[in-house]
Amino acid sequence: MTTRADRTSSPTGPTVADVSGPSRLAEPDEAISAEELQLAARNHGIPLEALRYDVTPAGLHYLLIHYDIPALDPATHTLTIGGAVDRPLTVTLAELRERPRVTRQVTLECAGNGRALLHPRPVSQPWLVEAVGNAEWTGTPLAPLLREAGIDPSAVDVVFTGADHGVERGVEQDYQRALPVADALREEVLLAYEMNGAPLLPQHGAPLRLIVPGWYGMAHVKWVHSIELRTEPFEGYQNAVAYRVRRDADDPGVPVTRIEPRALVRPPGFPDFMSRRRVLRAGPCTLDGRAWSGHAPVVAVEVTIDGGESWAPAELDPTDAGDFAWRRWRYEWVATPGRYVLGARATDASGRTQPVEQPWNRGGFANNMAQRVEVVVPAE
């Protein structure tokens, strides 16, 4: 166990807790802080014009790195599986590559996507709506490895440990997340070593990462080197403290798990450099974008050109990319001179529809309110 408990200052000098402040909310008129800008420089979203690609190029896919990118050698990297199992395993990357090979298109979205749009704003990575990407992930299914190790009937959680190490809210830790055993045994869950047909890039988890289709990005542990089955629920920081939807600091909250439905508009026309407001020539225009959900396939998308006053159905493209990949939608519009606010909202087969206004929560998680794209159609 590498997670450390909270530490306080001692007479002999500072401790790790001294470098890490508590979570907080921004003051009503508080600007984005230098610390948030530093995070934003390390963690980038997808350029929205890249919604044109069915498969997001690796360099355009959104990125969130909690601590540092570790230096790992694929030639010597091993994965251990232990804890509540009958036969602990240690496998090399080469051995994993010899196992059954599967490629899946999976849309990943950060659980904090939309956080910076909330009021008051939770002070953290300041995502707007761009923390998403859809890639082809290649690896071997996790479930056969767990069964090969022999799962103890009393096991309840599977804990995945990455090689990235840091301090968060005063707690020194390796990045660790757990899945319930039933979720870890889903056939779609992969130990991935390739992205878009190439070896994983360092920032995307090389040489090995977890892919949990349908779940927000915090579950897809990067740089994974150990898996431990536990007979008690995992109470590590990233499960018990972070990634929980709560109203206030004393609320234990509920865990963030599957991705809520969302549709994004690929901004039409061309942008103003600073504001990103769009300029669009008058005339026929095909509005399009992508829609996804981690609960069930998207079955409908609606489009607004007046900021949500009215909605019209869009056309969904057919897809064979699977239930966990985004889907293209399109809407034919004749643009006339004026100012418009475009948006889209998705509905999935479970009946979930993304809201126009999003209920607030302290961590800024799972905020899937409909996007707003300001467009000016100039008079010729």
Side-chain angles (χ1 to χ4, degrees):
M1 170 68 74
T2 55
T3 299
R4 276 73 165 177
D6 285 336
R7 301 179 182 183
T8 57
S9 296
S10 71
T12 58
T15 68
V16 293
D18 297 327
V19 305
S20 185
S23 64
R24 69 180 185 89
L25 301 175
E27 296 298 325
D29 297 322
E30 181 180 347
I32 296 289
S33 67
E35 288 181 334
E36 289 173 293
L37 288 174
Q38 183 174 236
L39 285 174
R42 290 180 58 82
N43 304 307
H44 65 77
I46 187 174
L48 291 179
E49 62 270 26
L51 293 172
R52 69 169 68 98
Y53 300 110
D54 291 336
V55 174
T56 308
L60 300 180
H61 195 285
Y62 100 91
L63 188 65
L64 180 67
I65 302 165
H66 276 79
Y67 308 127
D68 281 354
I69 300 170
L72 301 175
D73 184 353
T76 59
H77 189 74
T78 59
L79 175 71
T80 62
I81 301 176
V85 298
D86 298 331
R87 298 171 293 278
L89 299 177
T90 298
V91 291
T92 67
L93 188 64
E95 289 169 337
L96 287 174
R97 285 180 169 274
E98 292 172 356
R99 299 179 71 90
R101 176 184 173 94
V102 175
T103 298
R104 300 191 192 283
Q105 265 195 48
V106 178
T107 298
L108 268 62
E109 182 180 9
C110 184
N113 203 16
R115 174 186 291 126
L117 298 172
L118 295 179
H119 302 282
R121 185 185 82 252
V123 177
S124 185
Q125 167 66 32
W127 293 122
L128 297 171
V129 297
E130 298 93 346
V132 68
N134 185 69
E136 290 184 339
W137 304 96
T138 299
T140 194
L142 171 66
L145 274 162
L146 296 181
R147 293 192 175 101
E148 190 175 314
I151 302 170
D152 191 296
S154 63
V156 296
D157 271 356
V158 184
V159 180
F160 302 87
T161 301
D164 45 333
H165 185 85
V167 183
E168 197 162 345
R169 309 305 184 196
V171 181
E172 183 180 351
Q173 59 191 280
D174 290 341
Y175 186 84
Q176 293 180 302
R177 280 282 307 184
L179 290 173
V181 169
D183 286 293
L185 288 174
R186 287 168 47 208
E187 65 175 356
E188 312 94 79
V189 178
L190 295 179
L191 291 167
Y193 43 75
E194 291 181 7
M195 178 182 185
N196 296 348
L200 287 174
L201 295 171
Q203 67 269 33
H204 284 295
L208 190 67
R209 72 174 297 169
L210 185 67
I211 295 294
V212 187
W215 283 53
Y216 281 109
M218 78 284 154
H220 304 244
V221 178
K222 294 187 283 189
W223 311 294
V224 64
H225 65 83
S226 76
I227 299 173
E228 182 183 4
L229 282 88
R230 302 224 181 155
T231 57
E232 299 290 339
F234 179 58
E235 295 296 328
Y237 179 89
Q238 301 295 338
N239 271 68
V241 180
Y243 295 108
R244 301 184 76 85
V245 175
R246 46 169 60 95
R247 296 298 303 171
D248 54 55
D250 297 324
D251 178 7
V254 295
V256 177
T257 56
R258 288 181 177 267
I259 299 171
E260 295 299 319
R262 188 192 290 274
L264 288 181
V265 178
R266 182 169 66 92
F270 53 91
D272 170 67
F273 173 71
M274 284 296 296
S275 69
R276 306 305 295 179
R277 291 186 183 91
R278 310 299 294 190
V279 178
L280 179 65
R281 303 300 185 200
C285 172
T286 299
L287 300 178
D288 71 345
R290 303 286 172 170
W292 62 93
S293 173
H295 292 275
V298 169
V299 294
V301 171
E302 299 168 281
V303 175
T304 181
I305 61 171
D306 53 19
E309 294 294 322
S310 62
W311 296 87
E315 179 183 352
L316 285 172
D317 281 6
T319 179
D320 58 1
D323 291 345
F324 300 103
W326 63 21
R327 191 171 178 185
R328 189 181 181 213
W329 58 266
R330 64 184 73 208
Y331 176 79
E332 301 302 328
W333 178 42
V334 178
T336 57
R339 294 180 179 270
Y340 301 89
V341 178
L342 311 183
R345 63 183 181 189
T347 298
D348 68 21
S350 74
R352 291 172 170 84
T353 297
Q354 70 180 110
V356 177
E357 300 294 336
Q358 175 64 48
W360 183 89
N361 69 84
R362 183 178 173 84
F365 295 123
N367 294 298
N368 64 328
M369 62 182 174
Q371 173 195 19
R372 293 173 62 87
V373 180
E374 296 185 26
V375 173
V376 173
V377 180
E380 295 296 336

